Amino acid sequence: MTTTLLINITASETRLAYLEEGVLQEIHIERAAKRGIVGNIYQGHVKRVLPGIQAAFIDIGLDKAGFLHAKEIKPDRMKKNESYHFQSSDITRQVYQGQYLMVQVVKDLLGSKGALLTKDIRLPSRYLVMMPGVQHVGVSQRIKNEEERERLKNIVTLSCDKTLGFIIRTAAENICEEKLSADVLFLQRLWQDVLAKKKCNHAKIRQLYAESPLSSRILRDFAVTELDHILIDSKLTYDQLLAFTDKCMPEIKSKVQHYTASQPLFEKYNIEHEIQRSLNRKVSLKSGGYLFIDQTEALTVIDINTGSSVGYRNLDETIFNTNLEATQAIARQLRIRNLGGIIIIDFIDMRNKQHRESVLKSLQEALSKDRVQTTISGFSPLGLVEMTRKRTRESIGQVLCHDCLTCQGQGRVKSAETVCYEILRKIVEMHRNNDANGFVVSASPSVGEKLQSKEFGALTETANFVGKSIKIQINPLYSQENFDVVMM
């Protein structure tokens, strides 16, 4: 399978697209004005402690305070002289207002919510993840060979400071001792630098560590994938990544290429069109079926329909094959749109138990390629598939769009007919409470035209009822739901 990573750079935006066999699988967008902060480490100041929700709000120097839940505070992360706080799981016995804490961001600011924080600090490199304060060395479950697992564990255990814990990443499989030891040393020095910054400004809010830029971070995280091509359309970023790969990933340095063709990189690979499609609610399937994807504050709902799909022997086969095809599309859309949290999938009802099991297995296999952690709970009694996908950053829709100023994000506006009747009721109300000679209605073109045509009879009846004239003025600047009723 041929894999390609495209990196498009402008002055204010970095965009990365990951393709398998020329088909888009993931898209990452980071803007200079709103760079993600996941992984950053801060010296924070406890502003409020809320026992009712077992959490604290921490000022880390951003517009919104971060949120730290009691479960994210580990006893071995605290100072020795603060051990008394852990006689109880009560948040008030773990942190106190005015305290300064070292915290790490695990989820970006999402909508109206502040960043989600943890005291369980983790520092990643290409082959390892360091866990300060944890005396444990673990190995990725994706490394299956027991001898290799033991070899890696022994190397890291002998190389590391005994007060530090490590997780050995999948990329470390079959890596030599020299490279692993170098990674251990790099992370230990990085941690010492963080501690030095903290010590210099013990009672001050500040950033102690910042995650790598998006392009370097993606290359590091894609180490488990055999990338065949890495194309970059910026000479400056190309030079930076050459230096990065030369130091940290020399085996893929030859795959980094500077794209210089006149046709924009994302247009050549049809990524611009795919990004626009990722914002659509409806996703068409090759068979004629389709998906509806609706993202809300609490969860994402995916509904499958057969549409014009009629290519099978009977209804059961048509439904089964449409659902089967939908599993592949769903897995891909979750990755492209970066949808996370609770996800409810409403497959077309299947009476055959084997069909349901096959569809569930197909979904699990499709999601196994996802680098983000997913969990599927199977079919519920109502026939819905419930799953979760770890959410750390905003979805592509949240990055590229904001709520409609007319419908305020509801996705619906009142019909012109409904607004007409609201106007007529408003006129009657104003007539009863005021002494007016007449009324002037300012409304949108669609509402004004309806009042002068299909609803003209209702308008005349209202004018006769109040005994006053009613004039209609069309204002093209009004949205369909906006109107004004003015007394003359």
Side-chain angles (χ1 to χ4, degrees):
M1 179 174 61
T2 303
T3 58
T4 307
L5 185 66
L6 310 178
I7 304 178
N8 168 235
I9 306 290
T10 61
S12 56
E13 189 177 58
T14 298
R15 301 189 301 172
L16 291 90
Y18 172 64
L19 290 70
E20 294 178 354
E21 298 294 350
V23 178
L24 179 66
Q25 300 296 329
E26 293 183 32
I27 183 77
H28 301 264
I29 299 176
E30 185 174 85
R31 290 172 175 167
K34 195 179 179 181
R35 183 178 173 182
I37 60 171
V38 172
N40 288 5
I41 300 175
Y42 296 88
Q43 175 81 344
H45 187 230
V46 181
K47 304 300 290 184
R48 295 178 66 193
V49 179
L50 303 175
I53 58 174
Q54 287 296 295
F57 285 98
I58 315 293
D59 183 2
I60 57 174
L62 304 179
D63 294 338
K64 296 178 182 177
F67 182 84
L68 178 68
H69 194 273
K71 67 182 181 181
E72 294 294 340
I73 306 173
K74 311 296 182 183
D76 52 0
R77 299 295 194 272
M78 304 294 286
K79 295 180 180 178
K80 292 180 181 179
N81 61 4
E82 292 177 349
S83 60
Y84 69 92
H85 287 303
F86 292 92
Q87 296 171 8
S88 168
S89 61
D90 187 348
I91 185 71
T92 59
R93 300 183 68 86
Q94 300 183 37
V95 298
Y96 54 87
Q97 189 169 329
Q99 182 181 10
Y100 283 88
L101 297 175
M102 184 193 297
V103 291
Q104 187 171 33
V105 178
V106 292
K107 282 187 182 179
D108 260 329
L109 292 81
L110 296 173
S112 60
K113 300 178 182 178
L116 184 62
L117 309 175
T118 182
K119 276 192 61 63
D120 188 12
I121 306 297
R122 301 194 175 202
L123 289 173
S125 64
R126 189 188 176 194
Y127 303 120
L128 304 167
V129 176
M130 174 191 281
M131 303 177 294
V134 177
Q135 298 178 13
H136 171 74
V137 176
V139 184
S140 168
Q141 293 182 355
R142 292 189 179 185
I143 300 178
K144 304 298 183 182
N145 187 290
E146 287 299 327
E147 290 185 5
E148 177 64 8
R149 291 174 65 88
E150 193 64 28
R151 181 187 75 88
L152 294 170
K153 190 171 182 178
N154 288 337
I155 292 172
V156 174
T157 301
L158 294 173
S159 303
C160 71
D161 186 322
K162 304 311 177 192
T163 63
L164 301 173
F166 289 87
I167 296 174
I168 302 170
R169 306 178 70 175
T170 311
E173 188 170 14
N174 299 320
I175 295 300
C176 68
E177 179 179 349
E178 182 181 0
K179 289 184 178 180
L180 279 177
S181 299
D183 240 24
V184 170
L185 183 60
F186 164 75
L187 288 174
Q188 289 181 159
R189 287 175 176 171
L190 183 61
W191 177 237
Q192 290 303 317
D193 183 56
V194 171
L195 292 178
K197 289 180 181 178
K198 178 179 182 293
K199 186 177 181 180
C200 291
N201 296 275
H202 179 66
K204 183 179 179 181
I205 299 170
R206 63 168 299 178
Q207 180 177 294
L208 303 177
Y209 166 79
E211 256 285 24
S212 305
L214 177 62
S215 53
S216 301
R217 189 169 70 244
I218 291 296
L219 280 186
R220 180 193 69 198
D221 294 343
F222 266 105
V224 297
T225 304
E226 290 296 329
L227 289 171
D228 296 303
H229 307 286
I230 303 168
L231 303 180
I232 308 161
D233 62 5
S234 163
K235 183 64 167 64
L236 177 62
T237 304
Y238 168 72
D239 291 338
Q240 290 173 345
L241 287 184
L242 274 185
F244 172 77
T245 54
D246 185 48
K247 179 180 179 180
C248 303
M249 308 170 70
E251 65 274 19
I252 69 168
K253 182 179 179 180
S254 61
K255 300 177 182 179
V256 179
Q257 304 170 38
H258 183 207
Y259 180 81
T260 57
S262 58
Q263 185 179 10
L265 179 61
F266 271 32
E267 284 189 14
K268 178 178 180 179
Y269 288 86
N270 201 35
I271 306 302
E272 299 290 4
H273 177 64
E274 288 286 355
I275 291 175
Q276 293 304 315
R277 288 179 60 185
S278 72
L279 300 177
N280 294 339
R281 178 174 176 248
K282 184 177 180 180
V283 178
S284 298
L285 303 176
K286 291 181 179 180
S287 64
Y290 53 86
L291 317 176
F292 278 129
I293 302 177
D294 293 300
Q295 186 180 4
T296 70
E297 182 74 16
L299 51 80
T300 297
V301 179
I302 303 176
D303 182 39
I304 296 95
N305 296 273
T306 55
S308 59
S309 177
V310 292
Y312 299 99
R313 293 173 295 178
N314 54 56
L315 180 60
D316 285 348
E317 286 296 318
T318 299
I319 290 173
F320 171 61
N321 284 282
T322 302
N323 283 337
L324 211 57
E325 182 184 8
T327 61
Q328 305 301 313
I330 290 169
R332 179 169 175 262
Q333 289 299 319
L334 293 180
R335 295 174 70 184
I336 292 176
R337 300 175 187 232
N338 193 27
L339 297 173
I342 300 171
I343 299 166
I344 305 297
I345 306 174
D346 184 11
F347 285 105
I348 309 166
D349 289 342
M350 293 173 287
R351 294 175 292 183
N352 189 311
K353 183 180 179 180
Q354 289 184 339
H355 284 179
R356 290 197 300 272
E357 291 175 351
S358 296
V359 167
L360 193 61
K361 183 179 179 181
S362 176
L363 180 63
Q364 291 170 335
E365 290 176 352
L367 290 172
S368 66
K369 303 174 184 177
D370 199 334
R371 296 185 302 113
V372 177
Q373 180 182 346
T374 59
T375 304
I376 305 175
S377 62
F379 280 93
S380 72
L382 295 177
L384 305 174
V385 170
E386 302 169 0
M387 64 168 287
T388 60
R389 185 174 186 268
K390 187 176 180 180
R391 175 170 55 191
T392 57
R393 293 181 172 85
E394 292 180 313
S395 68
I396 190 170
Q398 291 169 325
V399 171
L400 299 180
C401 306
H402 61 73
D403 287 346
C404 170
L405 298 178
T406 299
C407 72
Q408 302 301 320
Q410 295 183 59
R412 295 173 179 269
V413 294
K414 295 175 183 175
S415 67
E417 183 181 40
T418 298
V419 178
C420 287
Y421 296 156
E422 286 185 1
I423 291 172
L424 299 181
R425 288 195 297 270
K426 185 67 175 178
I427 292 172
V428 173
E429 177 189 343
M430 294 176 68
H431 165 70
R432 287 173 174 169
N433 297 326
N434 303 277
D435 184 16
N437 296 322
F439 299 92
V440 177
V441 176
S442 295
S444 66
S446 58
V447 173
E449 291 168 5
K450 188 169 282 290
L451 282 170
Q452 294 172 333
S453 55
K454 291 185 178 181
E455 300 301 333
F456 184 73
L459 179 67
T460 302
E461 288 182 9
T462 303
N464 292 336
F465 177 79
V466 301
K468 304 292 190 300
S469 64
I470 303 174
K471 296 182 179 180
I472 306 298
Q473 291 183 347
I474 294 178
N475 189 331
L477 298 179
Y478 278 29
S479 67
Q480 187 158 289
E481 292 189 355
N482 293 138
F483 66 86
D484 287 308
V485 179
V486 180
M487 295 183 296
M488 293 191 295

